[in-house]
Amino acid sequence: MTSHPARPVADLFSADGRLTAIPRRPARREALLAHLATTLFDADRTYRESEVNEALRTVHEDFPALRRHLVTGGFLTRTKDGSDYRRQQRTDSPGGTIPAVA
């Protein structure tokens, strides 16, 4: 398999800043999720589910899918009852932070 350099996620957004589609390819989706996590959520803050939904709704109408991908991908953690969310520090990247994606 040929390794391709990571593409910036800017081409996934329309001119008005809305996400045109959620990528199906895992690597591409992960780059998008990393970008969304770092741009929409502060690392030192707890968010209510309604706040997460509101932030994600600003970029795509299928905010439940984005929220689910962020949680299952390890970018956000949530309490067992699903009421609170926090941005997760990734341990698979240098310094434990989510890499910035242009």
Side-chain angles (χ1 to χ4, degrees), residues 21-91:
I22 300 171
R24 292 181 184 200
R25 297 177 68 201
R28 192 82 166 119
R29 185 171 53 235
E30 180 145 327
L32 170 68
L33 296 173
H35 173 76
L36 293 176
T38 58
T39 57
L40 297 176
F41 304 104
D42 294 327
D44 58 350
R45 182 167 173 232
T46 299
Y47 294 87
R48 291 186 312 274
E49 183 175 29
S50 60
E51 293 174 301
V52 172
N53 292 345
E54 184 178 320
L56 294 173
R57 192 179 287 124
T58 65
V59 295
H60 198 268
E61 67 274 358
D62 193 359
F63 62 91
L66 286 174
R67 186 185 64 230
R68 185 172 51 254
H69 288 309
L70 285 164
V71 171
T72 59
F75 296 96
L76 292 180
T77 59
R78 75 173 158 218
T79 56
K80 282 190 177 206
D81 65 3
S83 62
D84 292 325
Y85 292 76
R86 288 186 69 86
R87 191 173 96 196
Q88 178 68 32
Q89 296 298 314
R90 297 285 300 259
T91 58

